[in-house]
Amino acid sequence: MINTPNMHNTNKLISIIVLLFMFTAFLERSIQEGMFFDGITYASIARNLAIGKGSFWELYYRNSWTFSEHPPLMFGIVSIFFKLFGDHFYTEKLYNLFIWVLTIALLIQFWKKLTGRNKNSGYELLLLTWVIIPAVPWAYPNCLIDCTMALFDLAAVYLLFNAYTQKKYIMPSVIASAILVFCATLTKGPVGIFPLAVPGVYYMVYDRKKMPSALLHTILMTAVIACIYWLLWQQDDARQSIQRYLDEQLLAALQGKRENTGGDLGRYALLVELLNQLLPAIAPCILTIILCKVLKVKPTQPYSKHVVFLILIALGSSLPIMLSVKQRSFYLIPSFIYFALAIAMFAYPYYSAITARYNVCTKTMKTVYITTCIAIIAICIFLSTKFGQISRDEGYIKDIKTLRTIIPQGEKVGICLEMDKDYEFLAYIQRYHSMEVNLQYATSKYILIDEGWCNGQFTDTVLALGYKPINASTKKYKLYKKE
């Protein structure tokens, strides 16, 4: 069907549906209380930094423990949100939304650059391919550090690709990309360094005669990053922070001293997880190709080189994770961006051919816009009923909310040694009332007992020390106070 002034490309209709789906799914998770305990822990550390506990280079979590699991950049950024919006359960959620929107905007811009089209570019195909990877809509609302690192790296890859494609501002783009890669490594360490491979991969795929330029650019990027770290190394607090991270996290992980999350497969569990996560994204693209053939629609020119380029970047951002036996599906968040781009780019010639043939008339589009407005109102009403509800860890959140009506904010509460292994409890009690735990329980005014963790003798010991039970309407915990 030929486009006329009264006809509209179906891309508009599909993009509206995809965007509504994406933001509804994200906001429905975000406006409720409760997060994965990593995210709760990170939010607590950022909040502590915002209120003056610890410093950027010496992150404070609880007691005498200096947090060294990750470099400090994301915590510094999130702490700004706490300073701006206060200590509310939704503060870290606003940060998640900020990262989500920026990532989507950059993805759309990257896609338009790849397709060479500003209008009807088919970016909705990319967004759908990306968002139906199961780990993606789960990770971003949970304040995971991988999402922030992925944004820095995506910006670096885009800058380089744009400069090489346009053949303009190449050296400034190389330097700017190096700074972004530095930010990625200051967010989650060496796993964020993969954009250094972009110059070599780009020229290998598109113009092998310029491989010497690629080597020069990679060396320059490496030099910029090394120079920044060298300057930081001259500062005592920065050097000590980096050294703690290297010793306690990075080297331990490379030596296999961290927990083995891959089971019998060990490092190769990552490949199985990668396949499982990508299957939902591959399926609709295959259906698009099949539909194109059934309808006997001739696909447009393929983007083979783009697909190869994106797959190589995706592999470069995921396979190095196999160096460690500690693996999680959300560690692949940065690589899912490029896998989604590659999958969508492969299917795009078929998708664009279908959407170009079947158009929507102006009258139908007006109905679509009216329906969209009604849908947005309905979604807002639906989301308003979810605001402040508890999506996970309800037992922890309700009990801690009850405890904070009794125990002063910031109090150090005595617990048994075993409860110090209940990491969700430790994260929530810190996040919701700035309370900390004290293993030297006899020195605390309050003692909290979880009988699922503490043995029966601990209660007898607490009573013998003169603590009296407090009638608190908690389901999981028993609270004692020294008179």
Side-chain angles (χ1 to χ4, degrees):
M1 185 180 293
I2 300 174
N3 282 327
T4 70
N6 294 322
M7 302 302 294
H8 300 269
N9 197 285
T10 51
N11 292 81
K12 292 182 180 179
L13 174 60
I14 299 172
S15 62
I16 289 171
I17 296 171
V18 171
L19 288 171
L20 283 177
F21 166 72
M22 287 182 66
F23 279 93
T24 301
F26 178 86
L27 292 173
E28 194 268 338
R29 287 179 171 91
S30 295
I31 63 176
Q32 300 183 69
E33 295 192 57
M35 287 196 310
F36 183 54
F37 83 92
D38 278 18
I40 289 289
T41 301
Y42 301 157
S44 297
I45 295 168
R47 189 275 319 282
N48 289 343
L49 182 58
I51 62 176
K53 288 186 176 181
S55 66
F56 183 82
W57 294 112
E58 193 169 351
L59 299 171
Y60 177 84
Y61 183 35
R62 57 186 175 87
N63 297 325
S64 60
W65 180 28
T66 298
F67 183 86
S68 302
E69 295 287 303
H70 297 295
L73 183 56
M74 191 192 86
F75 304 100
I77 300 173
V78 180
S79 71
I80 296 173
F81 277 71
F82 278 100
K83 290 179 180 179
L84 292 174
F85 302 106
D87 185 4
H88 306 285
F89 85 88
Y90 56 77
T91 301
E92 58 265 43
K93 311 276 189 170
L94 289 174
Y95 175 77
N96 298 339
L97 179 62
F98 173 72
I99 295 297
W100 178 252
V101 171
L102 284 182
T103 302
I104 290 172
L106 197 50
L107 271 172
I108 293 174
Q109 191 61 35
F110 198 176
W111 177 261
K112 289 180 177 179
K113 188 62 62 177
L114 287 163
T115 59
R117 300 170 64 181
N118 287 322
K119 293 183 178 180
N120 302 326
S121 65
Y123 67 82
E124 63 277 3
L125 174 64
L126 163 65
L127 295 183
L128 180 62
T129 304
W130 178 59
V131 81
I132 60 176
I133 297 173
V136 170
W138 176 85
Y140 280 83
N142 276 295
C143 201
L144 294 182
I145 205 163
D146 309 80
C147 303
T148 300
M149 184 192 76
L151 179 60
F152 284 125
D153 281 329
L154 176 59
V157 174
Y158 170 75
L159 275 181
L160 289 170
F161 183 86
N162 181 59
Y164 292 149
T165 303
Q166 298 295 321
K167 296 181 173 58
K168 293 181 179 179
Y169 310 113
I170 290 178
M171 295 310 290
S173 297
V174 168
I175 295 172
S177 297
I179 295 172
L180 287 166
V181 173
F182 161 75
C183 291
T185 61
L186 198 62
T187 299
K188 206 192 171 183
V191 289
I193 209 166
F194 66 87
L196 289 180
V198 170
V201 172
Y202 182 90
Y203 285 122
M204 181 178 68
V205 173
Y206 297 101
D207 191 354
R208 295 190 178 184
K209 293 179 180 179
K210 294 186 178 180
M211 285 300 290
S213 296
L215 179 61
L216 175 63
H217 297 163
T218 300
I219 291 173
L220 177 59
M221 291 177 67
T222 305
V224 170
I225 296 169
C227 183
I228 297 174
Y229 272 111
W230 179 82
L231 291 173
L232 290 178
W233 197 258
Q234 309 311 306
Q235 308 298 319
D236 290 341
D237 51 355
R239 181 176 65 254
Q240 292 169 8
S241 175
I242 296 170
Q243 191 66 61
R244 282 194 302 269
Y245 167 73
L246 293 174
D247 293 339
E248 299 175 21
Q249 173 68 18
L250 182 60
L251 295 179
L254 293 176
Q255 294 170 2
K257 295 180 180 179
R258 303 304 299 258
E259 62 267 33
N260 183 351
T261 58
D264 294 336
L265 292 174
R267 291 177 168 84
Y268 299 100
L270 180 83
L271 300 177
V272 176
E273 186 61 33
L274 185 61
L275 178 61
N276 289 337
Q277 290 286 329
L278 291 180
L279 280 176
I282 294 172
C285 292
I286 292 176
L287 291 176
T288 301
I289 295 172
I290 293 174
L291 181 62
C292 189
K293 293 185 179 297
V294 169
L295 296 174
K296 296 182 180 180
V297 178
K298 184 179 180 180
T300 58
Q301 188 69 24
Y303 294 84
S304 302
K305 288 188 176 182
H306 287 350
V307 173
V308 173
F309 170 76
L310 292 165
I311 287 177
L312 290 175
I313 298 300
L315 292 174
S317 62
S318 57
L319 295 186
I321 301 174
M322 294 174 63
L323 291 173
S324 170
V325 294
K326 182 185 178 183
Q327 300 172 4
R328 293 279 192 271
S329 60
F330 52 84
Y331 292 177
L332 293 165
I333 286 296
S335 69
F336 288 148
I337 288 174
Y338 310 100
F339 279 118
L341 280 164
I343 294 168
M345 187 58 62
F346 181 80
Y348 178 65
Y350 303 89
Y351 174 80
S352 61
I354 295 173
T355 55
R357 170 180 286 193
Y358 298 97
N359 300 304
V360 181
C361 67
T362 298
K363 184 178 179 180
T364 302
M365 282 307 299
K366 288 181 179 179
T367 304
V368 169
Y369 292 142
I370 294 171
T371 305
T372 301
C373 293
I374 295 172
I376 291 173
I377 294 171
I379 290 169
C380 290
I381 294 172
F382 166 73
L383 293 176
S384 69
T385 65
K386 294 285 186 177
F387 187 83
Q389 291 189 8
I390 299 174
S391 61
R392 59 177 293 162
D393 300 325
E394 184 175 0
Y396 289 111
I397 294 174
K398 284 189 173 180
D399 276 5
I400 291 172
K401 284 187 173 182
T402 299
L403 292 171
R404 71 182 184 182
T405 64
I406 303 171
I407 304 174
Q409 184 175 9
E411 186 79 15
K412 289 192 175 183
V413 182
I415 61 170
C416 66
L417 181 62
E418 290 76 14
M419 284 180 66
D420 197 47
K421 299 175 184 177
D422 187 355
Y423 301 116
E424 285 84 359
F425 158 72
L426 297 173
Y428 277 110
I429 199 171
Q430 170 73 219
R431 176 67 188 90
Y432 270 77
H433 201 42
S434 302
M435 287 187 284
E436 297 188 29
V437 297
N438 182 13
L439 296 178
Q440 304 296 322
Y441 54 85
T443 63
S444 297
K445 186 175 182 179
Y446 296 90
I447 291 181
L448 200 61
I449 297 178
D450 181 347
E451 293 181 343
W453 286 89
C454 306
N455 58 47
Q457 293 179 345
F458 185 70
T459 301
D460 296 337
T461 301
V462 168
L463 292 172
L465 289 171
Y467 288 84
K468 302 296 182 183
I470 294 179
N471 186 20
S473 57
T474 52
K475 294 183 178 180
K476 190 175 177 63
Y477 303 102
K478 290 183 178 180
L479 182 62
Y480 294 80
K481 180 181 179 181
K482 181 174 287 185
E483 296 295 337

